[in-house]
Amino acid sequence: MHAPPAIRAQLCALNRARDSGEIDEEQFEREEERLLDLLERRSSSAPPRNLKEEDHERKYKDRSGSGDRRRIRPREDA
């Protein structure tokens, strides 16, 4: 219900309700502001959209320590 696509659908329904006269401009503005605030909060907590899925998984795997990327130096006595 609070996922960005659901919020966008609610915004569309809200516009239709205003256009059809079901709600007045004041009601529309209050609800629109609430939904846009909610959408902004949800969108800012989501991972960036420009990351490919495997990059996103790799990023979080590395943070957990299971994808350690330290380089192994060759031994000097070998």
Side-chain angles (χ1 to χ4, degrees):
M1 181 175 181
H2 293 286
I7 297 170
R8 287 188 198 97
Q10 291 175 358
L11 283 165
C12 288
L14 185 64
N15 277 299
R16 284 191 300 271
R18 180 193 58 188
D19 292 345
S20 68
E22 293 175 46
I23 61 172
D24 63 22
E25 193 65 30
E26 187 178 319
Q27 290 171 309
F28 171 81
E29 288 178 7
R30 274 195 314 263
E31 185 63 12
E32 181 189 41
E33 186 174 338
R34 185 187 72 80
L35 289 170
L36 289 174
D37 286 344
L38 187 57
L39 182 62
E40 185 178 322
R41 280 185 265 142
R42 296 296 178 197
S43 296
S44 66
S45 65
R49 290 183 174 256
N50 61 350
L51 285 179
K52 295 178 185 171
E53 185 175 330
E54 61 271 10
D55 292 338
H56 179 69
E57 290 175 6
R58 187 177 317 122
K59 179 181 175 183
Y60 288 99
K61 182 185 281 188
D62 291 345
R63 283 186 183 172
S64 69
S66 60
D68 194 358
R69 292 184 175 215
R70 290 179 290 174
R71 293 185 176 194
I72 300 173
R73 293 184 184 168
R75 290 177 47 172
E76 293 182 17
D77 62 336

